[in-house]
Amino acid sequence: MHLSTGGDMGPSMTLSRYLVNRHFGPSLRRQHVRGLLYCLALLACALPSKVSGEDVAKKVSFTFDQRATAEIQSKAIFIEYAGSYSLNARFDAVPAATSGVLRVGILNTEDFDLPIGKITVSCSCAKAALMDSVLRAGQTTDLIVELDSPKRHGSGLFTTVLELEIDKSSVRHKKLTHIAMLLSCNLSGLLCFQDQLVTTRVYPDRAAKLNLPFVNTLNVPEKSLVLDATDDVLGVEGEILRDSEKSYVSLVIDPKTLGTKRAFGTISISDPSGQVSDQVRIVLVPEAAVEINPSQIQFRTSSRNEGSTESLFTANAILRLGATSPEGNYSACCLAFGWERREKTGC
């Protein structure tokens, strides 16, 4: 049955729908509004958030916060050929194995703005963001770098490369592509070997010398560091030395202390308190003596052809090498080589 009255009821509204809307309409509409707001909230959480320089700068749990400056040098008439800018940002000592902020004030000396798009960092331990997406002409813009400094490093000088992509669609010099920045800092509080696994051969007729370089940026002299050894290298003679370039642990390995099989051990180094330490795994490979048999050389000389002004002398040699292992096993190999010489014999 249809009612054709005016007012709240439309000409096509049924009686049942009219009663529902009249008695339950407000509550249903409120439920619809709440459901819509809930969906919008879920959508906002699912959207990827863009990290800005302000977001990074607001964090307060960092161990260090340092600042440096870098200046974009104007390339004038060469700008179309260069295509990019190169910057260097050098910081003071940064604690190892910590998190912090490095701020680079980038001064744009060009007479035009440089809009920046994507920023990439060569090291996964760092991420960067600009306080403004445009490097304004004649102004300084801060680049915020959030760094998790490494626990280990081979030299103690940490470096990473940042590439700031220039938005070519918004700059008049279309051949400009990017800004490359080399960011570097010294790491403090390091005590680590350059290698974590070292293999060396030990011959029966002489002692083997092994140098293990390490990095020490502690406020502790090398003479105060503590050495320790385990397993098969427990009795190896060692000391800490330093030359003009690096510090290293020098080991002298006596072949008489080794058996006929490979030996394994660990060399560790630590500060006097034992709070900072590192270790390297050592593998010692014993080698058998090599016996060289007398060379067997066969010479062959070619005769000079009639009318020729040269004679060709050739020689072939066979060198036989034999080796006897400590278990009495014998193995041998042969090496063959040759040479030739041409001589003038006159007209």
Side-chain angles (χ1 to χ4, degrees):
M1 179 177 180
H2 288 79
L3 295 178
S4 58
T5 59
D8 293 338
M9 291 181 62
S12 62
M13 181 177 290
T14 64
L15 177 61
S16 59
R17 186 175 179 184
Y18 169 78
L19 294 175
V20 170
N21 282 349
R22 182 174 181 86
H23 295 285
F24 303 100
S27 62
L28 288 175
R29 284 193 293 270
R30 285 194 295 270
Q31 292 179 10
H32 290 165
V33 171
R34 285 197 296 268
L36 179 61
L37 293 176
Y38 180 74
C39 292
L40 291 175
L42 290 178
L43 181 62
C45 294
L47 290 175
S49 59
K50 182 179 180 181
V51 179
S52 65
E54 294 181 357
D55 296 332
V56 176
K58 287 178 181 177
K59 294 187 177 181
V60 295
S61 60
F62 291 125
T63 304
F64 57 89
D65 190 333
Q66 296 188 20
R67 182 176 179 83
T69 58
E71 183 176 317
I72 295 178
Q73 297 292 334
S74 176
K75 296 184 180 297
I77 62 174
F78 302 105
I79 195 168
E80 293 290 347
Y81 300 97
S84 63
Y85 300 95
S86 296
L87 304 180
N88 287 296
R90 180 67 184 266
F91 292 87
D92 296 330
V94 168
T98 56
S99 297
V101 170
L102 301 177
R103 306 170 188 264
V104 184
I106 303 176
L107 173 60
N108 181 9
T109 62
E110 296 285 14
D111 59 356
F112 54 89
D113 296 344
L114 292 171
I116 302 300
K118 183 175 62 175
I119 301 177
T120 58
V121 187
S122 62
C123 178
S124 60
C125 60
K127 54 184 177 181
L130 279 169
M131 297 297 290
D132 191 346
S133 61
V134 179
L135 302 178
R136 308 291 177 181
Q139 298 182 17
T140 298
T141 305
D142 279 356
L143 174 70
I144 310 298
V145 181
E146 181 182 341
L147 174 67
D148 295 326
S149 59
K151 180 181 179 181
R152 302 181 55 85
H153 200 271
S155 66
L157 177 62
F158 171 80
T159 60
T160 186
V161 177
L162 289 77
E163 185 173 296
L164 288 69
E165 183 182 274
I166 298 176
D167 185 1
K168 295 185 290 184
S169 63
S170 304
V171 67
R172 68 173 183 261
H173 298 284
K174 302 303 180 183
K175 292 187 178 181
L176 281 178
T177 58
H178 66 278
I179 300 171
M181 176 184 293
L182 177 64
L183 187 147
S184 59
C185 58
N186 292 313
L187 297 174
S188 62
L190 273 181
L191 181 63
C192 61
F193 287 100
Q194 290 187 358
D195 301 298
Q196 294 184 284
L197 176 65
V198 176
T199 301
T200 187
R201 300 179 183 275
V202 181
Y203 296 91
D205 57 342
R206 60 185 180 274
K209 295 183 179 180
L210 181 61
N211 292 332
L212 305 173
F214 66 91
V215 178
N216 176 26
T217 59
L218 300 173
N219 292 322
V220 176
E222 277 76 9
K223 293 182 179 180
S224 301
L225 298 176
V226 180
L227 276 180
D228 195 11
T230 62
D231 302 331
D232 295 333
V233 295
L234 186 60
V236 172
E237 179 184 350
E239 59 179 338
I240 298 176
L241 301 176
R242 179 174 178 81
D243 57 22
S244 59
E245 298 181 355
K246 61 182 180 299
S247 302
Y248 56 93
V249 175
S250 178
L251 303 179
V252 179
I253 303 167
D254 187 355
K256 297 179 181 179
T257 62
L258 299 179
T260 59
K261 299 181 179 180
R262 292 190 177 190
F264 302 88
T266 300
I267 300 294
S268 62
I269 188 171
S270 62
D271 68 331
S273 65
Q275 296 181 353
V276 182
S277 63
D278 195 32
Q279 62 183 20
V280 56
R281 188 69 172 167
I282 305 295
V283 181
L284 303 177
V285 182
E287 291 289 340
V290 176
E291 300 175 356
I292 301 179
N293 296 328
S295 302
Q296 300 175 5
I297 302 178
Q298 299 175 352
F299 290 97
R300 184 177 69 254
T301 303
S302 63
S303 60
R304 179 171 60 88
N305 296 331
E306 186 176 354
S308 174
T309 61
E310 291 185 347
S311 291
L312 177 64
F313 296 89
T314 62
N316 298 320
I318 298 177
L319 181 61
R320 183 178 177 85
L321 302 179
T324 304
S325 67
E327 292 83 2
N329 300 323
Y330 179 82
S331 60
C333 66
C334 295
L335 301 177
F337 54 93
W339 67 92
E340 65 179 24
R341 185 181 63 180
R342 295 180 181 273
E343 288 187 354
K344 291 284 185 179
T345 58
C347 299

PDB file of all heavy atoms in Angstrom, residues 17-35:
ATOM      1  N   ARG A  17       8.864   2.242   5.677  1.00  0.00           N
ATOM      2  CA  ARG A  17      10.082   3.063   5.650  1.00  0.00           C
ATOM      3  C   ARG A  17       9.866   4.379   6.382  1.00  0.00           C
ATOM      4  O   ARG A  17      10.760   4.894   7.040  1.00  0.00           O
ATOM      5  CB  ARG A  17      10.483   3.309   4.199  1.00  0.00           C
ATOM      6  CG  ARG A  17      11.802   4.031   4.046  1.00  0.00           C
ATOM      7  CD  ARG A  17      12.181   4.119   2.583  1.00  0.00           C
ATOM      8  NE  ARG A  17      13.442   4.823   2.443  1.00  0.00           N
ATOM      9  CZ  ARG A  17      14.006   5.127   1.269  1.00  0.00           C
ATOM     10  NH1 ARG A  17      13.384   4.766   0.147  1.00  0.00           N
ATOM     11  NH2 ARG A  17      15.139   5.761   1.225  1.00  0.00           N
ATOM     12  N   TYR A  18       8.628   4.916   6.264  1.00  0.00           N
ATOM     13  CA  TYR A  18       8.311   6.169   6.963  1.00  0.00           C
ATOM     14  C   TYR A  18       8.378   5.970   8.461  1.00  0.00           C
ATOM     15  O   TYR A  18       8.934   6.784   9.198  1.00  0.00           O
ATOM     16  CB  TYR A  18       6.919   6.639   6.546  1.00  0.00           C
ATOM     17  CG  TYR A  18       6.376   7.762   7.399  1.00  0.00           C
ATOM     18  CD1 TYR A  18       6.819   9.055   7.210  1.00  0.00           C
ATOM     19  CD2 TYR A  18       5.416   7.508   8.391  1.00  0.00           C
ATOM     20  CE1 TYR A  18       6.330  10.088   8.001  1.00  0.00           C
ATOM     21  CE2 TYR A  18       4.930   8.534   9.181  1.00  0.00           C
ATOM     22  CZ  TYR A  18       5.373   9.833   8.995  1.00  0.00           C
ATOM     23  OH  TYR A  18       4.907  10.855   9.765  1.00  0.00           O
ATOM     24  N   LEU A  19       7.821   4.862   8.961  1.00  0.00           N
ATOM     25  CA  LEU A  19       7.849   4.607  10.392  1.00  0.00           C
ATOM     26  C   LEU A  19       9.269   4.385  10.921  1.00  0.00           C
ATOM     27  O   LEU A  19       9.639   4.845  11.996  1.00  0.00           O
ATOM     28  CB  LEU A  19       6.965   3.391  10.699  1.00  0.00           C
ATOM     29  CG  LEU A  19       5.455   3.580  10.445  1.00  0.00           C
ATOM     30  CD1 LEU A  19       4.712   2.258  10.673  1.00  0.00           C
ATOM     31  CD2 LEU A  19       4.889   4.680  11.339  1.00  0.00           C
ATOM     32  N   VAL A  20      10.083   3.673  10.138  1.00  0.00           N
ATOM     33  CA  VAL A  20      11.481   3.448  10.557  1.00  0.00           C
ATOM     34  C   VAL A  20      12.241   4.759  10.642  1.00  0.00           C
ATOM     35  O   VAL A  20      12.972   5.045  11.594  1.00  0.00           O
ATOM     36  CB  VAL A  20      12.165   2.454   9.602  1.00  0.00           C
ATOM     37  CG1 VAL A  20      13.658   2.411   9.868  1.00  0.00           C
ATOM     38  CG2 VAL A  20      11.559   1.075   9.760  1.00  0.00           C
ATOM     39  N   ASN A  21      12.088   5.593   9.617  1.00  0.00           N
ATOM     40  CA  ASN A  21      12.809   6.868   9.614  1.00  0.00           C
ATOM     41  C   ASN A  21      12.339   7.783  10.737  1.00  0.00           C
ATOM     42  O   ASN A  21      13.133   8.528  11.332  1.00  0.00           O
ATOM     43  CB  ASN A  21      12.621   7.564   8.273  1.00  0.00           C
ATOM     44  CG  ASN A  21      13.490   6.985   7.190  1.00  0.00           C
ATOM     45  OD1 ASN A  21      14.374   6.204   7.485  1.00  0.00           O
ATOM     46  ND2 ASN A  21      13.216   7.343   5.942  1.00  0.00           N
ATOM     47  N   ARG A  22      11.065   7.748  11.033  1.00  0.00           N
ATOM     48  CA  ARG A  22      10.530   8.647  12.037  1.00  0.00           C
ATOM     49  C   ARG A  22      10.999   8.268  13.430  1.00  0.00           C
ATOM     50  O   ARG A  22      11.333   9.129  14.252  1.00  0.00           O
ATOM     51  CB  ARG A  22       9.006   8.641  11.970  1.00  0.00           C
ATOM     52  CG  ARG A  22       8.344   9.608  12.956  1.00  0.00           C
ATOM     53  CD  ARG A  22       6.852   9.657  12.734  1.00  0.00           C
ATOM     54  NE  ARG A  22       6.233  10.602  13.660  1.00  0.00           N
ATOM     55  CZ  ARG A  22       6.122  11.923  13.442  1.00  0.00           C
ATOM     56  NH1 ARG A  22       6.601  12.430  12.306  1.00  0.00           N
ATOM     57  NH2 ARG A  22       5.539  12.703  14.325  1.00  0.00           N
ATOM     58  N   HIS A  23      11.013   6.976  13.743  1.00  0.00           N
ATOM     59  CA  HIS A  23      11.347   6.540  15.105  1.00  0.00           C
ATOM     60  C   HIS A  23      12.835   6.208  15.287  1.00  0.00           C
ATOM     61  O   HIS A  23      13.374   6.380  16.374  1.00  0.00           O
ATOM     62  CB  HIS A  23      10.502   5.315  15.468  1.00  0.00           C
ATOM     63  CG  HIS A  23       9.049   5.616  15.547  1.00  0.00           C
ATOM     64  ND1 HIS A  23       8.451   6.295  16.585  1.00  0.00           N
ATOM     65  CD2 HIS A  23       8.043   5.336  14.663  1.00  0.00           C
ATOM     66  CE1 HIS A  23       7.148   6.417  16.375  1.00  0.00           C
ATOM     67  NE2 HIS A  23       6.875   5.834  15.205  1.00  0.00           N
ATOM     68  N   PHE A  24      13.515   5.706  14.233  1.00  0.00           N
ATOM     69  CA  PHE A  24      14.905   5.257  14.378  1.00  0.00           C
ATOM     70  C   PHE A  24      15.874   6.044  13.516  1.00  0.00           C
ATOM     71  O   PHE A  24      17.075   5.798  13.557  1.00  0.00           O
ATOM     72  CB  PHE A  24      15.027   3.768  14.005  1.00  0.00           C
ATOM     73  CG  PHE A  24      14.131   2.880  14.809  1.00  0.00           C
ATOM     74  CD1 PHE A  24      12.940   2.423  14.279  1.00  0.00           C
ATOM     75  CD2 PHE A  24      14.487   2.516  16.096  1.00  0.00           C
ATOM     76  CE1 PHE A  24      12.115   1.603  15.025  1.00  0.00           C
ATOM     77  CE2 PHE A  24      13.653   1.696  16.829  1.00  0.00           C
ATOM     78  CZ  PHE A  24      12.467   1.235  16.315  1.00  0.00           C
ATOM     79  N   GLY A  25      15.374   6.973  12.719  1.00  0.00           N
ATOM     80  CA  GLY A  25      16.242   7.711  11.791  1.00  0.00           C
ATOM     81  C   GLY A  25      17.420   8.408  12.439  1.00  0.00           C
ATOM     82  O   GLY A  25      18.569   8.248  12.021  1.00  0.00           O
ATOM     83  N   PRO A  26      17.219   9.200  13.509  1.00  0.00           N
ATOM     84  CA  PRO A  26      18.379   9.905  14.123  1.00  0.00           C
ATOM     85  C   PRO A  26      19.467   8.968  14.614  1.00  0.00           C
ATOM     86  O   PRO A  26      20.648   9.209  14.430  1.00  0.00           O
ATOM     87  CB  PRO A  26      17.720  10.685  15.263  1.00  0.00           C
ATOM     88  CG  PRO A  26      16.292  10.847  14.846  1.00  0.00           C
ATOM     89  CD  PRO A  26      15.926   9.581  14.107  1.00  0.00           C
ATOM     90  N   SER A  27      19.094   7.864  15.252  1.00  0.00           N
ATOM     91  CA  SER A  27      20.120   6.934  15.766  1.00  0.00           C
ATOM     92  C   SER A  27      20.854   6.246  14.631  1.00  0.00           C
ATOM     93  O   SER A  27      22.072   6.032  14.700  1.00  0.00           O
ATOM     94  CB  SER A  27      19.469   5.888  16.678  1.00  0.00           C
ATOM     95  OG  SER A  27      18.525   5.121  15.955  1.00  0.00           O
ATOM     96  N   LEU A  28      20.105   5.926  13.548  1.00  0.00           N
ATOM     97  CA  LEU A  28      20.769   5.294  12.413  1.00  0.00           C
ATOM     98  C   LEU A  28      21.745   6.254  11.754  1.00  0.00           C
ATOM     99  O   LEU A  28      22.840   5.866  11.354  1.00  0.00           O
ATOM    100  CB  LEU A  28      19.727   4.815  11.395  1.00  0.00           C
ATOM    101  CG  LEU A  28      18.893   3.603  11.803  1.00  0.00           C
ATOM    102  CD1 LEU A  28      17.826   3.319  10.742  1.00  0.00           C
ATOM    103  CD2 LEU A  28      19.776   2.384  12.006  1.00  0.00           C
ATOM    104  N   ARG A  29      21.313   7.526  11.652  1.00  0.00           N
ATOM    105  CA  ARG A  29      22.217   8.503  11.040  1.00  0.00           C
ATOM    106  C   ARG A  29      23.475   8.687  11.882  1.00  0.00           C
ATOM    107  O   ARG A  29      24.568   8.849  11.364  1.00  0.00           O
ATOM    108  CB  ARG A  29      21.478   9.826  10.850  1.00  0.00           C
ATOM    109  CG  ARG A  29      20.499   9.824   9.667  1.00  0.00           C
ATOM    110  CD  ARG A  29      20.050  11.223   9.333  1.00  0.00           C
ATOM    111  NE  ARG A  29      19.229  11.789  10.393  1.00  0.00           N
ATOM    112  CZ  ARG A  29      17.878  11.667  10.444  1.00  0.00           C
ATOM    113  NH1 ARG A  29      17.241  10.981   9.510  1.00  0.00           N
ATOM    114  NH2 ARG A  29      17.192  12.219  11.429  1.00  0.00           N
ATOM    115  N   ARG A  30      23.314   8.691  13.210  1.00  0.00           N
ATOM    116  CA  ARG A  30      24.511   8.793  14.070  1.00  0.00           C
ATOM    117  C   ARG A  30      25.433   7.595  13.889  1.00  0.00           C
ATOM    118  O   ARG A  30      26.656   7.722  13.875  1.00  0.00           O
ATOM    119  CB  ARG A  30      24.066   8.916  15.528  1.00  0.00           C
ATOM    120  CG  ARG A  30      23.520  10.301  15.887  1.00  0.00           C
ATOM    121  CD  ARG A  30      23.435  10.449  17.387  1.00  0.00           C
ATOM    122  NE  ARG A  30      22.459   9.518  17.970  1.00  0.00           N
ATOM    123  CZ  ARG A  30      21.163   9.810  18.148  1.00  0.00           C
ATOM    124  NH1 ARG A  30      20.688  10.988  17.766  1.00  0.00           N
ATOM    125  NH2 ARG A  30      20.365   8.922  18.690  1.00  0.00           N
ATOM    126  N   GLN A  31      24.866   6.399  13.745  1.00  0.00           N
ATOM    127  CA  GLN A  31      25.696   5.212  13.508  1.00  0.00           C
ATOM    128  C   GLN A  31      26.430   5.309  12.179  1.00  0.00           C
ATOM    129  O   GLN A  31      27.591   4.936  12.062  1.00  0.00           O
ATOM    130  CB  GLN A  31      24.818   3.955  13.535  1.00  0.00           C
ATOM    131  CG  GLN A  31      24.251   3.627  14.904  1.00  0.00           C
ATOM    132  CD  GLN A  31      23.373   2.401  14.887  1.00  0.00           C
ATOM    133  OE1 GLN A  31      23.327   1.690  13.888  1.00  0.00           O
ATOM    134  NE2 GLN A  31      22.666   2.158  15.990  1.00  0.00           N
ATOM    135  N   HIS A  32      25.720   5.853  11.165  1.00  0.00           N
ATOM    136  CA  HIS A  32      26.375   6.014   9.869  1.00  0.00           C
ATOM    137  C   HIS A  32      27.538   6.996   9.968  1.00  0.00           C
ATOM    138  O   HIS A  32      28.610   6.781   9.385  1.00  0.00           O
ATOM    139  CB  HIS A  32      25.350   6.505   8.835  1.00  0.00           C
ATOM    140  CG  HIS A  32      24.339   5.472   8.468  1.00  0.00           C
ATOM    141  ND1 HIS A  32      23.165   5.776   7.809  1.00  0.00           N
ATOM    142  CD2 HIS A  32      24.318   4.125   8.674  1.00  0.00           C
ATOM    143  CE1 HIS A  32      22.473   4.669   7.621  1.00  0.00           C
ATOM    144  NE2 HIS A  32      23.138   3.647   8.151  1.00  0.00           N
ATOM    145  N   VAL A  33      27.338   8.081  10.698  1.00  0.00           N
ATOM    146  CA  VAL A  33      28.419   9.075  10.858  1.00  0.00           C
ATOM    147  C   VAL A  33      29.596   8.469  11.597  1.00  0.00           C
ATOM    148  O   VAL A  33      30.760   8.637  11.208  1.00  0.00           O
ATOM    149  CB  VAL A  33      27.892  10.329  11.580  1.00  0.00           C
ATOM    150  CG1 VAL A  33      29.045  11.257  11.937  1.00  0.00           C
ATOM    151  CG2 VAL A  33      26.872  11.051  10.709  1.00  0.00           C
ATOM    152  N   ARG A  34      29.317   7.730  12.681  1.00  0.00           N
ATOM    153  CA  ARG A  34      30.414   7.101  13.425  1.00  0.00           C
ATOM    154  C   ARG A  34      31.162   6.091  12.564  1.00  0.00           C
ATOM    155  O   ARG A  34      32.379   5.982  12.597  1.00  0.00           O
ATOM    156  CB  ARG A  34      29.855   6.422  14.683  1.00  0.00           C
ATOM    157  CG  ARG A  34      29.478   7.384  15.793  1.00  0.00           C
ATOM    158  CD  ARG A  34      29.335   6.651  17.117  1.00  0.00           C
ATOM    159  NE  ARG A  34      28.223   5.693  17.068  1.00  0.00           N
ATOM    160  CZ  ARG A  34      26.970   5.971  17.435  1.00  0.00           C
ATOM    161  NH1 ARG A  34      26.660   7.189  17.860  1.00  0.00           N
ATOM    162  NH2 ARG A  34      26.042   5.033  17.377  1.00  0.00           N
ATOM    163  N   GLY A  35      30.397   5.327  11.756  1.00  0.00           N
ATOM    164  CA  GLY A  35      31.049   4.362  10.867  1.00  0.00           C
ATOM    165  C   GLY A  35      31.920   5.038   9.828  1.00  0.00           C
ATOM    166  O   GLY A  35      33.026   4.574   9.510  1.00  0.00           O
TER     167      GLY A  35
END
